[in-house]
């Protein structure tokens, strides 16, 4: 069994009364995470009150204990399978649920979207799914619940599954599992039911156990937002948390958005000093060879992959303020450790977050629970990444009168003097011949890139050569699609775990297989 520190953090979302509390109660009971005497007490209490026991009452009891700080940590709830412990973030009924999610105060490794099989998707289902897309959560179970009321109809499951898939695809999400189940009866929760012989997928618990904790990639570009600067023992110490990547003594670093560069002189640690490196998730203090000007909000990064010095950002934004967000007004934008005045410069689309209907283009206001695609003009340059490139520096919140009222993710950043931010990959330079021939391996590339198909690469395609691309996720496929469209090429792709591979060729490449990658012959769409 994995240790407590390996707990998977999950969030359970869905429309009211679709079964969130019942599912949590069932999970506690079926995984043996609830002491038998506690279960017996709740059953006895229900009996005394003359009501039928329901697993949702377990959630109520756990909530009461949480409020009293008796058995459960204040903000989170736990259960455990044979594989590992789980943390449920923001239990159902939490009034600050949506705000906590959108502001990033709660971060989840995976999400459960629960849907009543009889009612299908409802307003909150769609709204919560949209928020999941803004948070970038990619490990998602869709729990088609209450199928016991429909005699586990395969047709009903297929109809609801199709409806959910269509909506998720419209917001850029793909469910990892769609599970027919009943939280009330326990069918397909911890054990397989014999009432749905047509279903061969995992149980709910098996699907959960198949997920992996979202680990910040140590290979990702270095991002260390500065929290403060101290003067101590004659040294100027830059303090912050390594949000992604690794920092090493002697390494050249740049301070964004100023662009000034120097080298790391030492990594100060408490109680251990004299460290040579620090990785994502660690809070450290640094001294630099040159004592450059820096302040809270600046970001220490590696020069080749430094964040963009943005003066304007385009973003997808979710608004929860009582008063509308108004074009032309100034607000406070908080991103990592920086806070900057931001003007809502334009609202390209105002969108109903539950239907995704575009309510208005070039709008003047954004109202409560609405989402929008906007452009924000910043008072001064700020180190920023697109959300697809780096989650930590790609998500922000908006405060009005000192209170957080909305948040969003950065789609793109521009600087009046620098233009737009996007890394260009020259394909002839990116192609390798090992471990596979004609391979373009982008699996360690976190940024969304543009491909530069130089003449040598296009000529190789014309000779019948084919190129195998590997990407870390489907989000990275678009540049290849644009390349194929521009040069009238063809490609096929297949899923490989959370990533994918794509085989690019000219239209006539099938006439010659001699220059193809080794696995091209069994490559399937």
């Amino acid at each position: 069994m994995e240790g407590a520190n390996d707990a998977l953090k999950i969030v359970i979302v869905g429309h009211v009364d679709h079964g969130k509390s019942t599912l949590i109660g069932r999970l506690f009971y079926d995984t043996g995470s609830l002491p038998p005497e506690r279960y017996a007490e709740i059953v006895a209490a229900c009996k005394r009150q003359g009501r039928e026991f329901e697993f949702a009452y377990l959630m109520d009891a756990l909530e009461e204990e949480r409020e009293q700080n008796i058995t459960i940590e204040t903000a989170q709830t736990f259960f455990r399978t044979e594989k590992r412990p789980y943390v449920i973030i923001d239990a159902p009924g939490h009034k600050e649920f949506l705000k906590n999610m959108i502001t990033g105060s709660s971060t989840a490794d995976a999400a459960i979207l629960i849907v009543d099989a009889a009612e299908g998707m409802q307003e909150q289902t769609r709204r919560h799914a949209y928020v999941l897309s803004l948070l970038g959560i990619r490990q998602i179970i869709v729990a088609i619940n209450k199928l016991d009321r429909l005699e586990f109809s395969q047709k009903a499951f297929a109809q609801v599954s199709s409806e959910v898939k269509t909506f998720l695809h419209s917001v850029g999400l793909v469910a990892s599992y769609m599970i027919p189940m009943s939280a009330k009866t326990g069918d397909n929760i911890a054990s397989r039911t014999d009432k749905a012989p047509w279903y061969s997928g995992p149980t709910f618990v098996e699907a959960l156990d198949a997920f992996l904790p979202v680990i910040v990639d140590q290979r990702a570009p270095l991002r260390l937002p500065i929290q403060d600067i101290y003067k101590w023992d004659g040294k100027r110490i830059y303090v912050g948390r390594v949000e992604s990547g690794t920092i090493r003594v002697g390494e050249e670093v740049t301070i964004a958005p100023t662009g000034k560069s120097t080298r790391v002189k030492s990594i100060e640690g408490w109680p251990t000093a004299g460290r040579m490196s620090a990785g994502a998730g660690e809070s450290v203090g640094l001294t630099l060879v040159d004592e450059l000007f820096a302040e809270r909000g600046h970001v220490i990064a590696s020069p080749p992959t430094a964040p963009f010095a943005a003066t304007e950002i385009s973003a997808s934004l979710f608004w929860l303020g009582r008063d509308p967000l108004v074009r032309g007004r100034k607000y406070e934008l908080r991103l990592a450790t920086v806070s900057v005045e931001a003007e809502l410069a334009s609202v390209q689309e105002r969108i109903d977050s539950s239907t995704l209907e575009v309510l208005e283009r070039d709008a003047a206001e954004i109202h409560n629970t609405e989402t929008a695609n906007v452009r924000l003009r910043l008072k001064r340059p700020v180190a920023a990444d697109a959300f697809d490139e780096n989650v930590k520096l790609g998500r922000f919140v908006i405060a009005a009168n000192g209170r957080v009222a909305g948040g969003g993710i950065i789609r793109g950043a521009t600087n009046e003097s620098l233009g737009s931010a996007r890394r260009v990959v020259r394909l002839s330079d990116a192609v390798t011949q090992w471990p596979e021939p004609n391979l373009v391996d982008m699996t360690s590339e976190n940024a969304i890139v543009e491909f530069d198909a130089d003449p040598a690469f296009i000529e190789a395609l014309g000779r019948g050569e084919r190129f195998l691309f590997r990407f870390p996720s489907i989000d990275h496929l678009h540049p290849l699609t644009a390349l194929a469209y521009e040069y009238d090429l063809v490609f096929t792709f297949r899923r490989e775990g959370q990533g994918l591979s794509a085989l690019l060729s000219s239209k006539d490449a099938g006439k010659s297989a001699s220059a193809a990658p080794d696995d091209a012959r069994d490559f399937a769409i």
Side-chain angles (χ1 to χ4, degrees), residues 212-494:
L212 298 173
V214 175
I215 300 172
V216 178
D217 194 341
Q218 302 285 342
R219 300 171 301 174
L222 171 65
R223 298 290 185 266
L224 195 164
I226 296 174
Q227 295 176 350
D228 212 336
I229 300 168
Y230 299 115
K231 289 186 177 179
W232 176 262
D233 197 22
K235 295 184 289 189
R236 188 176 176 85
I237 302 175
Y238 303 81
V239 176
R241 173 186 163 96
V242 182
E243 296 292 358
S244 63
T246 301
I247 191 165
R248 298 176 178 82
V249 173
E251 177 181 2
E252 183 180 3
V253 294
T254 189
I255 296 177
T258 67
K260 296 177 180 176
S261 295
T262 183
R263 292 186 179 278
V264 178
K265 184 177 182 180
S266 68
I267 297 176
E268 308 291 322
W270 299 275
T272 305
R275 301 181 58 189
M276 297 304 293
S277 66
E282 294 186 81
S283 295
V284 295
L286 306 175
T287 63
L288 304 175
V289 172
D290 303 295
E291 293 192 348
L292 303 177
F293 168 75
E295 60 184 359
R296 176 182 171 85
H298 287 177
V299 176
I300 296 175
S302 299
T305 56
F308 197 64
T311 56
E312 192 170 283
I313 60 174
S314 55
S316 295
L317 182 147
F318 195 94
W319 186 244
L320 293 166
R322 182 178 301 174
D323 298 324
L325 187 67
V326 180
R327 186 178 61 196
R329 287 189 185 171
K330 294 178 174 59
Y331 299 88
E332 179 189 359
L333 182 144
R334 301 175 188 171
L335 192 164
T337 58
V338 73
S339 173
V340 63
E341 182 181 286
E343 176 187 345
L344 182 62
S346 66
V347 182
Q348 290 95 332
E349 293 177 328
R350 183 167 68 88
I351 301 168
D352 185 317
S353 60
S354 64
T355 65
L356 300 186
E357 177 188 1
V358 176
L359 302 172
E360 185 181 5
R361 300 187 191 281
D362 193 24
E365 296 181 342
I366 306 166
H367 300 277
N368 182 268
T369 73
E370 289 181 348
T371 187
N373 294 319
V374 304
R375 197 162 50 85
L376 293 161
R377 188 176 299 125
L378 310 181
K379 188 174 183 179
R380 67 176 190 277
V382 166
D385 286 311
F387 183 78
D388 291 337
E389 299 172 2
N390 190 298
V391 172
K392 298 294 184 180
L393 262 67
R395 183 162 55 197
F396 64 89
V397 297
I398 295 285
N401 300 319
R403 301 188 63 178
V404 173
I409 59 175
I410 298 173
R411 300 294 190 187
T414 57
N415 183 300
E416 292 178 354
S417 59
L418 300 176
S420 63
R422 183 138 293 200
R423 199 168 84 79
V424 177
V425 174
R426 181 180 169 86
L427 285 170
S428 285
D429 297 336
V431 173
T432 64
Q433 299 302 321
W434 188 90
E436 298 167 84
N438 282 6
L439 173 66
V440 180
D441 188 357
M442 306 298 294
T443 52
S444 61
E445 181 64 63
N446 288 280
I448 302 299
V449 303
E450 291 179 3
F451 288 135
D452 174 14
D454 47 288
F457 185 81
I458 297 300
E459 289 173 7
L461 285 165
R463 292 194 300 269
E465 294 189 38
R466 290 185 282 186
F467 294 87
L468 183 64
F469 288 70
R470 296 193 188 282
F471 297 102
S473 75
I474 194 171
D475 297 332
H476 294 72
L477 189 62
H478 177 72
L480 189 65
T481 305
L483 178 71
Y485 181 84
E486 182 176 359
Y487 289 94
D488 198 19
L489 305 171
V490 296
F491 72 86
T492 57
F493 72 94
R494 68 184 178 194

Side-chain angles (χ1 to χ4, degrees), residues 101-112:
M101 288 184 69
I102 199 67
T103 60
S105 59
S106 298
T107 55
D109 297 305
I112 315 303

Side-chain angles (χ1 to χ4, degrees), residues 147 151-158 180 188 195-201:
L147 268 167
E151 298 179 340
F152 276 87
S153 163
Q154 184 177 6
K155 181 179 179 181
F157 174 75
N188 276 346
K195 300 172 186 172
W198 43 267
Y199 175 71
S200 59

